[in-house]
Amino acid sequence: MISLILSRLGQSLLTLIALVSVVFVLVRMKPGNPFQDEKAVPAHVMEKINEKYGFAQTSTELYLIEEWNLPPKVAALERYGEQYVKYWFNLIFRFDLGPCLKLYQGFSVGELIEQSFPYSLILGLFAMVYALGVGIPLGVVAALYKNTWIDYGTMLIAMLGICIPVFVSGPLFQVLVATKVPFIRTAGMEGVSDLIIPAIALGLGVAAYVARLTRGGMLEVLSLDYVRTAKAKGLPMSQIVIRHCLRGALMPVISYIGPAFAAITTGSFVIESVFQIPGMGQHFVKGVTGNEIFIVQGLALFYGVIIMGANLFSDLLQVWLNPQLRKDLVK
Amino acid sequence: MNKRSWSVLFLLLSSGFLISCKSKKPAEVAADDGILILGNSNEPKGLDPHLVSGVLENNILRSMFEGLAGDHPSKDGVAIPGAAERWEHSADFKQWTFYLQPEARWSDGCPVNAHDFTYAFQRILSPDLGGPYAEMLYYIEGAEDFNKGKIKDFGQVKVWAEDDLTLKLVLNNPMPFLPEITKHFTWFPVPKHIVNKHGAMDDRGNLWSKAENIVSNGPFKMKSHVLTHSIEVERNEYYWDAKQVKLNGIRFLPVSNAYTEARMFKDGLIHKAYGIPSELRAHFYENYPEWVRAEGDYGTRFIRVNVTKPSLNNIHFRKALALSIDRQLYIDTVRQGGGEKAAYSLTPPTEDYQPPKVFYFDPEEAKKSLEKSGFDGKQTLTLMVTDSDTAKRAAEVLQGMWRKHLGLNIRISTFDWATYLQRQHSLDYDLCIAGWLGDFLDPTTFLTMWTKGNGNNNTGWFSEPYEALLDKAANTADPAKRFSILAEAEKLFLEDTAIIPVFWFTKMYLLDPRVKNWNPLLLGNNPYKFIEFSTKPE
């Protein structure tokens, strides 16, 4: 078990290094400068800012561009190399993800994550609990009543849940629920009641997917010999499902919720925009569109850590639930 | 859970529900507490008046800081005493003396003095700070040279504190409208003692303007800032005119989704929505006319023409493009009831300044102009826009008009914001939809950017006679004469059609009828200290 954890951690570390490196290059290849604005920044001011934040071309670079006719982004590789080393240095020794350049002046990327992640995490947890709480029972019921109207009905609902995008379901919930129910506000994040409809909208797709996966898993398990034996011995159906089937049937769900958890707890741009939630999802989008290199790098790294953690957790959960895997591991 | 626990939970939930049913909407509660809740469209990029340049930052800064002159609550272009109680000028409007309010204090109780102003001017002009909007102070003699590093000694910039309460300025040119300019946030004072406490004056990383550090001299002071959630300011008890301030605080919400904002307004969560999405305008006009406000704005939507490109370097071709735009139809289809006015010039007309009437819609003349240009139709031109839905719709409408009236097939290309800006700056486009909002109430805010090499020109157009006229206007002290020279310059520029004005902006927003003294102002800088809530809903 420990060797499994260690090998997974090692793999994760390598992946993170690769992730940071790829994102580092990609954000620098994107055209534009974070300090550019609709109202032009005067050239002499831009020069100062570029110098300060490492966007200014060095003399070597200018030489390479002029004499060797290299494209500017290629000539800049030397400068980027230095910045790359500096980035890792600051990350490892100072836990510093860099500053926000133009958006959120005066805030560091670390502060940005610190302020926004708790909102996304709480909302994501609510959505996850609801998605599993609704998805699993629906899937079980659909499997038990296979090929009846109950099955078709639940799967139709699940299909709708998968197909309706959040930017449609979100505003619909606002109009149909929030404006009618007095204690639910249309948008904003002031208290627990403000989590209700965003969590439902956010978890809808996941709930639907979980329902379909559970149904598939249940159908497979229900056809196995040991279930037939249990039925023949006269065990009540509820006990067969809960004690003997679910454990096996939930395997596909467990491997799915790892990445789903990471995605759902790191924020959703659409949900945050529709419900005015100060979460983390918006920073991914604003970071990219605003050429905020440190925000994009920092968030990509953070997301990477979360998704790897969630995957490791779901792997361990699978091993714990599945005796076959445990045996393989011992071998 | 046993029966008893269920019934307790039920009781709790239902009592909570009943309380909520009875309770007032958040905007009502806030109004009772004297707190104004404003939708402010997005998170400000920062709160350091020397490092920001946008409208939404201005909205917040105006509540916390005050320049030498203040905004009149209901009249455009009228300066009332702000941090200065009065001012004097020489006959040629070049030398100015501002006498500061003796009672003025920073929100930490320290006196606001003339040195805070000279410190602030030195800071924004410091080359190392890289203040994006330092140009706003170039009217002061020596300011431009100091900002560009040509002179190193700030003593050579002609602004100084005569004593603690007297500030003197010498300008490059006569400026009868200087008090108007001092209302702009780039002219606000900054607390010297606080800025220095948090780092070097010209360090961009100085954290003096973060919520926990910031100290201000305006009617309100910082209370709290939760990133992308809200910024709340509260009464500044040290403000010299604190008696005039009616509100207890203002909450700015960065609601970037205009549809959400409209729903929040309807649901009683905010007192003012920043805008109204075009699809919802008819709905609000029809059902809630008492909420809708549509007022003239000091800005213009126009098409920028890259005159360095083939075909577009031909004036007849540019004129054909301009003459074939049915501006009213554009407004009706794209703006959907925003009340915008078709623009015949770049500068919107004001009481003082009447711009020349250059642009109109005439498809027949457009065809003739196209023939004159000798355009063979082989070249494909592209109209560049940002990737927003409104911009795309606007581009399609223009594309249709040019196809219908001129038979031209113009392609549309969309880019993300950063790329769109970069392509404009590097003249890597043919035509693009752009806009400009005036910073202060004077036509020069629209006209000075079309000079050679100006970073906001981005058309490749320049003209010596035009620049000579601008110089002449700058050296004319008589306001009426100055305006007529500026109108002449504008006519010269517009007749060359390096830009094609489409419409003058209108501010359309939702306002709670309880909010009093929020009057229509061209620049939209409604002074918060005069705002109050009426006791009964009207």
Side-chain angles (χ1 to χ4, degrees):
Chain A
M1 193 66 146
I2 290 171
S3 67
L4 171 85
I5 297 175
L6 283 178
S7 95
R8 275 305 159 90
L9 283 178
Q11 286 170 21
S12 304
L13 197 66
L14 287 177
T15 318
L16 283 180
I17 294 172
L19 175 75
V20 168
S21 311
V22 170
V23 174
F24 185 91
V25 175
L26 285 180
V27 286
R28 279 165 179 78
M29 290 300 135
K30 192 175 171 283
N33 175 306
F35 296 100
Q36 234 159 19
D37 214 336
E38 192 173 18
K39 277 185 184 130
V41 179
H44 67 282
V45 174
M46 200 60 155
E47 217 173 276
K48 285 279 173 200
I49 299 175
N50 281 343
E51 252 170 52
K52 184 169 166 73
Y53 294 106
F55 292 104
Q57 290 174 323
T58 60
S59 49
T60 329
E61 242 174 290
L62 290 173
Y63 174 80
L64 289 174
I65 294 167
E66 274 166 30
E67 298 295 317
W68 292 36
N69 284 329
L70 285 181
K73 293 278 177 190
V74 177
L77 284 176
E78 181 225 352
R79 175 163 46 99
Y80 295 160
E82 199 187 313
Q83 290 175 4
Y84 182 73
V85 174
K86 208 171 149 194
Y87 185 73
W88 276 113
F89 180 84
N90 284 338
L91 191 63
I92 296 168
F93 296 104
R94 296 184 184 150
F95 302 111
D96 180 10
L97 290 167
C100 298
L101 299 175
K102 172 127 191 240
L103 303 170
Y104 326 121
Q105 280 165 21
F107 287 87
S108 67
V109 177
E111 276 177 291
L112 192 69
I113 295 175
E114 204 184 303
Q115 279 217 7
S116 58
F117 181 59
Y119 288 101
S120 295
L121 180 68
I122 290 172
L123 179 65
L125 285 174
F126 258 69
M128 207 65 200
V129 168
Y130 141 80
L132 295 176
V134 171
I136 294 175
L138 274 186
V140 170
V141 170
L144 290 179
Y145 297 93
K146 187 183 148 195
N147 294 341
T148 64
W149 65 269
I150 299 178
D151 180 19
Y152 299 141
T154 38
M155 281 308 111
L156 179 76
I157 296 171
M159 208 57 204
L160 282 176
I162 292 172
C163 295
I164 298 177
V166 183
F167 61 83
V168 174
S169 61
L172 270 180
F173 283 134
Q174 277 183 327
V175 174
L176 299 178
V177 182
T179 51
K180 306 276 188 297
V181 184
F183 63 93
I184 293 183
R185 304 169 348 127
T186 324
M189 184 53 69
E190 305 290 340
V192 183
S193 63
D194 290 329
L195 286 166
I196 299 173
I197 47 171
I200 292 178
L202 182 62
L204 194 64
V206 183
Y209 211 79
V210 166
R212 288 180 64 82
L213 287 174
T214 311
R215 178 182 178 271
M218 274 302 280
L219 284 180
E220 210 173 292
V221 176
L222 282 174
S223 65
L224 293 177
D225 287 346
Y226 78 87
V227 177
R228 205 175 328 140
T229 313
K231 275 186 197 163
K233 281 191 170 181
L235 268 184
M237 204 55 201
S238 58
Q239 222 174 2
I240 296 178
V241 170
I242 296 169
R243 290 196 54 183
H244 300 287
C245 295
L246 262 184
R247 194 180 251 226
L250 286 184
M251 281 302 149
V253 176
I254 288 162
S255 54
Y256 163 71
I257 57 170
F261 176 81
I264 221 171
T265 52
T266 45
S268 147
F269 174 69
V270 180
I271 288 285
E272 286 165 18
S273 160
V274 169
F275 293 101
Q276 189 53 30
I277 294 166
M280 216 169 81
Q282 55 183 318
H283 302 314
F284 280 95
V285 179
K286 287 183 187 170
V288 172
T289 51
N291 278 15
E292 282 277 353
I293 51 172
F294 293 109
I295 296 185
V296 178
Q297 285 170 193
L299 290 182
L301 176 64
F302 187 74
Y303 184 76
V305 170
I306 299 270
I307 200 164
M308 278 161 207
N311 276 344
L312 181 65
F313 180 72
S314 84
D315 284 353
L316 294 177
L317 203 62
Q318 285 196 36
V319 173
W320 180 62
L321 284 173
N322 190 342
Q324 192 66 42
L325 280 177
R326 237 175 307 167
K327 268 186 211 159
D328 291 350
L329 210 67
V330 174
K331 274 180 201 167
Chain B
M1 206 181 240
N2 58 29
K3 266 188 183 172
R4 202 184 133 88
S5 338
W6 276 112
S7 49
V8 169
L9 182 70
F10 177 76
L11 270 176
L12 272 174
L13 279 175
S14 51
S15 59
F17 181 78
L18 285 175
I19 292 165
S20 327
C21 285
K22 268 191 162 180
S23 66
K24 292 176 169 179
K25 293 274 183 194
E28 276 175 71
V29 178
D32 292 344
D33 296 341
I35 308 282
L36 181 68
I37 309 177
L38 303 175
N40 198 32
S41 100
N42 226 322
E43 178 68 20
K45 295 196 173 99
L47 290 175
D48 186 333
H50 296 162
L51 291 180
V52 297
S53 61
V55 176
L56 57 107
E57 287 83 5
N58 173 39
N59 289 340
I60 300 168
L61 288 173
R62 284 189 300 110
S63 71
M64 294 197 288
F65 290 89
E66 190 177 47
L68 292 163
D71 280 294
H72 192 280
S74 60
K75 286 181 193 153
D76 283 309
V78 175
I80 60 170
E85 60 173 354
R86 64 195 168 88
W87 46 85
E88 290 166 356
H89 55 79
S90 60
D92 64 354
F93 293 100
K94 278 171 94 170
Q95 290 175 34
W96 290 75
T97 310
F98 289 87
Y99 300 97
L100 303 192
Q101 302 278 359
E103 296 300 314
R105 296 279 181 278
W106 291 102
S107 52
D108 61 356
C110 294
V112 179
N113 61 42
H115 301 283
D116 288 315
F117 279 90
T118 52
Y119 177 82
F121 297 166
Q122 182 177 354
R123 181 167 184 266
I124 189 171
L125 289 168
S126 292
D128 285 337
L129 183 76
Y133 229 7
E135 287 176 301
M136 281 294 290
L137 276 84
Y138 282 4
Y139 304 103
I140 305 172
E141 209 179 299
E144 185 171 357
D145 285 346
F146 182 75
N147 185 232
K148 290 185 172 167
K150 288 180 193 160
I151 53 174
K152 303 279 176 211
D153 175 18
F154 189 71
Q156 286 175 265
V157 181
K158 294 288 174 60
V159 55
W160 67 96
E162 190 89 338
D163 56 53
D164 278 357
L165 294 176
T166 315
L167 182 74
K168 290 209 164 197
L169 296 163
V170 179
L171 308 178
N172 292 316
N173 303 105
M175 288 255 301
F177 59 101
L178 182 71
E180 273 302 301
I181 305 277
T182 65
K183 296 175 185 174
H184 194 266
F185 59 82
T186 46
W187 282 70
F188 288 170
V190 293
K192 186 177 172 180
H193 59 293
I194 298 294
V195 179
N196 284 342
K197 194 173 140 191
H198 293 281
M201 170 202 245
D202 56 3
D203 176 15
R204 284 181 77 89
N206 188 316
L207 298 179
W208 77 273
S209 62
K210 282 192 83 169
E212 57 273 29
N213 306 332
I214 194 167
V215 160
S216 58
N217 73 326
F220 298 92
K221 63 178 180 183
M222 175 61 80
K223 186 178 176 197
S224 64
H225 180 189
V226 180
L227 208 59
T228 67
H229 178 279
S230 65
I231 286 182
E232 189 161 348
V233 295
E234 60 187 352
R235 281 172 79 93
N236 172 10
E237 64 271 28
Y238 289 110
Y239 180 55
W240 66 272
D241 198 14
K243 265 188 250 155
Q244 174 60 52
V245 184
K246 303 283 195 313
L247 295 172
N248 289 322
I250 308 171
R251 204 175 297 149
F252 298 92
L253 305 184
V255 192
S256 54
N257 186 321
Y259 302 93
T260 295
E261 194 189 35
R263 276 177 224 125
M264 286 173 83
F265 186 91
K266 226 173 146 178
D267 201 20
L269 302 181
I270 52 177
H271 295 122
K272 180 181 176 275
Y274 194 81
I276 313 175
S278 46
E279 297 91 333
L280 294 180
R281 286 176 181 173
H283 165 77
F284 280 108
Y285 260 127
E286 237 164 70
N287 302 301
Y288 309 98
E290 70 280 12
W291 293 349
V292 181
R293 299 276 291 251
E295 295 152 7
D297 203 347
Y298 204 47
T300 310
R301 173 76 62 227
F302 57 86
I303 298 157
R304 206 184 278 276
V305 184
N306 182 352
V307 301
T308 61
K309 291 271 173 144
S311 303
L312 293 171
N313 55 11
N314 183 316
I315 187 169
H316 298 295
F317 185 71
R318 301 201 294 265
K319 285 216 154 133
L321 291 177
L323 283 162
S324 51
I325 297 172
D326 184 347
R327 292 171 175 77
Q328 198 51 53
L329 184 65
Y330 176 103
I331 291 168
D332 295 342
T333 46
V334 181
R335 308 303 300 174
Q336 300 187 14
E340 284 86 356
K341 291 194 178 75
Y344 52 74
S345 65
L346 172 63
T347 313
T350 58
E351 224 171 88
D352 299 324
Y353 178 75
Q354 287 304 319
K357 293 186 178 169
V358 179
F359 293 96
Y360 50 91
F361 168 56
D362 187 338
E364 290 311 311
E365 209 182 318
K367 272 181 205 134
K368 282 180 202 156
S369 198
L370 185 70
E371 272 169 34
K372 253 196 234 172
S373 74
F375 184 72
D376 57 6
K378 279 182 192 157
Q379 186 192 350
T380 314
L381 291 167
T382 308
L383 174 63
M384 177 174 80
V385 288
T386 60
D387 49 9
S388 79
D389 287 340
T390 331
K392 281 183 221 162
R393 199 162 57 216
E396 282 160 12
V397 169
L398 290 170
Q399 184 188 42
M401 287 178 186
W402 284 325
R403 185 181 298 141
K404 185 178 171 196
H405 302 303
L406 300 175
L408 292 178
N409 194 13
I410 297 212
R411 283 176 42 190
I412 296 171
S413 60
T414 55
F415 291 98
D416 69 279
W417 183 240
T419 316
Y420 162 86
L421 290 180
Q422 203 203 9
R423 292 180 78 108
Q424 260 192 73
H425 289 315
S426 52
L427 286 181
D428 188 10
Y429 74 97
D430 298 328
L431 299 155
C432 77
I433 301 184
W436 191 260
L437 263 176
D439 292 310
F440 48 90
L441 219 49
D442 188 81
T444 48
T445 187
F446 288 93
L447 298 180
T448 47
M449 61 181 166
W450 310 106
T451 49
K452 190 178 181 181
N454 188 299
N456 288 313
N457 186 326
N458 301 332
T459 58
W461 182 90
F462 63 91
S463 139
E464 277 167 20
Y466 176 72
E467 288 178 30
L469 281 172
L470 287 186
D471 278 345
K472 194 175 158 193
N475 286 308
T476 307
D478 177 45
K481 256 193 213 160
R482 183 174 162 275
F483 283 138
S484 84
I485 301 168
L486 286 174
E488 201 184 325
E490 182 163 358
K491 189 160 185 257
L492 188 154
F493 165 60
L494 293 179
E495 281 184 342
D496 251 5
T497 326
I499 62 155
I500 306 169
V502 182
F503 65 85
W504 291 311
F505 291 143
T506 294
K507 284 189 282 286
M508 255 204 115
Y509 56 93
L510 299 167
L511 187 72
D512 191 320
R514 275 174 303 212
V515 179
K516 271 171 62 181
N517 285 338
W518 194 288
N519 300 307
L521 290 176
L522 262 180
L523 289 175
N525 291 336
N526 298 73
Y528 299 115
K529 69 175 179 182
F530 297 103
I531 308 289
E532 59 185 311
F533 287 102
S534 54
T535 40
K536 281 181 191 167
E538 282 163 29

